[in-house]
Amino acid sequence: MSLPSKIINLPKTMKAVGLYKYLPISDPNSLIDLEVSLPSLDKEDVLVEVKATAVNPIDTKVRAPKPLVETSPRILGFDGAGVVVARGENSKLFNIGDEVFFTGDLRKNGTNAQYVALNEIIVGKKPKTLTFEQAASMPLTSVTAYESLFDRLLISDKDKGKSLLIINSGGGVGSVASQLAKNFGLKVIGTASREETKRFSEEHGVDLVLNHRENLIPQLEANGYGKGVDFILVNYDPYPYWDTLMAAIKPQGKICLIVDSSGLVDLRPLKDKSVTLVSEMMFTKIKYDTEDKSRHHEILDIISKMLDSGELKSTVTKVLTPINAENLREAHRILEEKRMIGKLVLSGF
């Protein structure tokens, strides 16, 4: 239940984890403990006290070694959960005391801090039935998965019963997309290579799990998909899969990429089948201040309701505590090894 708006006495400084230099994660200075000033609020911002923060592949990509030195610390973290403690003068979606979950903003310091300033449209009401840790695992992957399926692939009621192939169904986005697709009435095919990722995929809505360490085409043929699949969501570097994607997609099918290709690919096969190729980047609406940017907040509220109703379940599989440089370096190391199943969350300062 929302508390009435009120003034909360806030400290002048806060704990945070950030960087000045972009270094390998094995370097103790790649992420360091900091004491910094609280962020200032723009007119449509809310200030949130962070209770839990998730770690995503984008954190490791932003932090990756490069010859750049920051004059003020860069604080990463692009989704989390917490409590609203202050509002900008034009903020109207939340009251002080509201429990919320949120994505971050690449243009600003992020959620690896005790407090974070966020435009209210990238914030949603925290699901009441979830802990802060469970809620923190969901915003970035859920908005990405939802936009991929319904805003990019344009899946609608007429597509119920059609097939969706999810490359890497055991990751954060894959495990949300599989639940959304299954609930919507699609036949969901996932890919995994380990027994634990196969099991995790099946627990999150995948009907059929293929081994992505082996050729996917014979596996599709053996399971009744010799004519291909209607939709493909690629949650991994598409470069090594490109020929497979071109062979697996049906004529007039649609493919969505959420990861950059590590090499050049041949687009010509798309024309023969009249295939639609789209990309998904969760930050696009925010970065370019698009007219439909409020869709971001709308999707977060949809996801919150689905989590409370049980239509979706949290994909957190590992929690580290407290939020500090040592634990965040460990989290980045785990993600860089590319063996993480589900989502990794840090909790409490």
Side-chain angles (χ1 to χ4, degrees):
M1 185 174 186
S2 296
L3 299 175
S5 295
K6 60 183 178 181
I7 295 175
I8 293 178
N9 292 323
L10 298 170
K12 293 183 178 180
T13 62
M14 65 178 182
K15 293 179 180 179
V17 178
L19 59 86
Y20 288 94
K21 296 180 178 180
Y22 295 84
L23 301 166
I25 201 59
S26 57
D27 192 313
N29 291 315
S30 59
L31 292 168
I32 57 176
D33 291 307
L34 302 165
E35 187 80 22
V36 297
S37 299
L38 266 66
S40 58
L41 290 180
D42 292 332
K43 290 182 178 180
E44 295 180 349
D45 282 357
V46 289
L47 184 68
V48 179
E49 181 181 2
V50 176
K51 299 295 186 181
T53 180
V55 184
N56 295 281
I58 193 167
D59 293 87
T60 66
K61 291 175 183 177
V62 173
R63 196 222 75 249
K66 57 182 74 71
L68 175 65
V69 178
E70 302 287 356
T71 54
S72 57
R74 178 76 190 273
I75 298 169
L76 304 177
F78 300 105
D79 61 349
V83 178
V84 175
V85 294
R87 307 191 306 175
E89 59 184 271
N90 292 342
S91 172
K92 57 188 178 183
L93 296 177
F94 301 97
N95 291 321
I96 292 175
D98 280 350
E99 295 183 350
V100 294
F101 69 159
F102 43 84
T103 62
D105 185 336
L106 276 169
R107 301 167 299 182
K108 297 182 178 181
N109 276 336
T111 60
N112 295 340
Q114 282 183 291
Y115 298 90
V116 62
L118 302 160
N119 187 296
E120 63 181 359
I121 65 167
I122 61 174
V123 180
K125 287 285 183 72
K126 171 186 161 292
K128 296 181 178 67
T129 58
L130 268 59
T131 65
F132 283 109
E133 292 81 5
Q134 291 170 328
S137 72
M138 298 305 291
L140 186 147
T141 53
S142 296
V143 174
T144 301
Y146 198 96
E147 286 188 342
S148 295
L149 297 183
F150 304 117
D151 295 9
R152 308 296 175 227
L153 293 173
L154 301 178
I155 292 171
S156 64
D157 286 342
K158 65 180 174 55
D159 299 311
K160 290 184 177 180
K162 290 185 178 180
S163 53
L164 168 70
L165 172 62
I166 301 176
I167 305 293
N168 185 19
S169 54
V173 173
S175 55
V176 178
S178 57
Q179 294 181 75
L180 290 170
K182 180 70 172 180
N183 289 341
F184 195 76
L186 298 182
K187 300 293 185 183
V188 185
I189 307 160
T191 75
S193 59
R194 291 174 283 153
E195 201 54 46
E196 56 266 40
T197 48
K198 178 182 178 182
R199 184 169 57 251
F200 187 79
S201 296
E202 290 170 341
E203 290 170 352
H204 289 82
V206 175
D207 298 300
L208 169 66
V209 184
L210 309 180
N211 187 339
H212 52 214
R213 293 193 185 279
E214 300 175 3
N215 190 333
L216 296 179
I217 300 303
Q219 297 178 72
L220 286 168
E221 291 172 348
N223 286 279
Y225 294 96
K227 293 184 178 180
V229 295
D230 299 288
F231 304 100
I232 304 177
L233 174 60
V234 188
N235 301 311
Y236 192 78
D237 176 7
Y239 184 71
Y241 284 100
W242 192 253
D243 290 344
T244 298
L245 299 176
M246 296 301 98
I249 193 68
K250 281 183 177 180
Q252 303 184 93
K254 297 177 182 178
I255 301 171
C256 180
L257 309 179
I258 70 165
V259 179
D260 292 334
S261 176
S262 61
L264 297 177
V265 296
D266 185 2
L267 297 179
R268 287 175 295 183
L270 296 171
K271 182 180 179 183
D272 182 61
K273 289 185 176 179
S274 297
V275 170
T276 299
L277 179 68
V278 294
S279 296
E280 160 61 14
M281 176 63 170
M282 190 206 68
F283 297 107
T284 297
K285 294 183 179 72
I286 309 306
K287 179 179 179 180
Y288 293 100
D289 194 31
T290 62
E291 291 182 1
D292 64 343
K293 63 184 179 181
S294 62
R295 171 77 167 154
H296 195 107
H297 172 72
E298 176 187 333
I299 292 172
L300 282 173
D301 278 350
I302 291 170
I303 295 298
S304 180
K305 291 173 184 175
M306 294 181 77
L307 287 162
D308 273 337
S309 71
E311 294 174 83
L312 285 180
K313 54 185 176 182
S314 172
T315 57
V316 62
T317 55
K318 189 175 184 65
V319 177
L320 301 177
T321 188
I323 303 169
N324 61 22
E326 180 182 3
N327 281 334
L328 273 165
R329 288 196 299 271
E330 172 66 5
H332 279 234
R333 183 190 66 78
I334 291 170
L335 263 66
E336 287 183 349
E337 289 178 350
K338 299 187 185 300
R339 293 182 64 83
M340 185 65 199
I341 305 170
K343 287 293 292 286
L344 193 161
V345 170
L346 278 77
S347 175
F349 278 90

